Amino acid sequence: QVELVESGGGLVQAGGSLRLSCAASGRTISRYAMGWFRQAPGKEREFVADISTSGSTSRYLDSVKDRFAISRDNAKNTVYLQMSSLEPEDTAVYYCAAGTGVVVVSITSVDSWGQGTQVTVSP
């Protein structure tokens, strides 16, 4: 399994930006589609974005599509989530995930999860 560690979370005002990073170790992420998920208090964990092994294909949750951008640097074994125009509804713990496939990551096909990083957006 690949080990994943997220960073970059924090407290930000609505309209602000944050950049999350997911550093991998143990294995190269180049063989994994990578994704970001989030879980708000009292809610199910939900898909946010994913990116294929080459970075040529990405998908987004509709509500973040024009505000978030996922990217990856296979040479640095790191995945990023650039979040802009943040809203209070984006408040959640954000998790990085390595998928079992090479194109998409679904919550039922995750090889490894990170420990999560808290993002809090104040009104």
Side-chain angles (χ1 to χ4, degrees), residues 8-32:
L11 173 64
V12 64
Q13 287 188 330
S17 299
L18 283 174
R19 188 195 197 200
L20 305 184
S21 298
C22 172
S25 62
R27 288 186 177 181
T28 174
I29 63 168
S30 62
R31 65 177 65 188
Y32 299 94

Side-chain angles (χ1 to χ4, degrees), residues 59-121:
R59 303 183 307 154
Y60 295 92
L61 177 69
D62 282 348
S63 62
V64 309
K65 193 173 296 184
D66 298 323
R67 301 184 294 117
F68 292 9
I70 188 171
S71 61
R72 64 191 297 157
D73 186 335
N74 288 341
K76 293 184 177 180
N77 231 22
T78 302
V79 180
Y80 305 97
L81 186 68
Q82 178 67 48
M83 306 186 295
S84 303
S85 301
L86 283 161
E87 303 169 352
E89 292 74 22
D90 297 317
T91 295
V93 177
Y94 283 71
Y95 297 90
C96 179
T100 57
V102 296
V103 178
V104 300
V105 183
S106 83
I107 201 165
T108 58
S109 62
V110 171
D111 182 83
S112 301
W113 291 100
Q115 85 289 349
T117 185
Q118 176 71 47
V119 171
T120 303
V121 185

Side-chain angles (χ1 to χ4, degrees), residues 35-38 45-50 59-61 105 107:
W36 288 94
F37 293 77
R38 67 186 182 186
R45 190 171 298 190
E46 67 175 352
F47 167 84
V48 176
D50 64 16
R59 303 183 307 154
Y60 295 92
L61 177 69
V105 183
I107 201 165

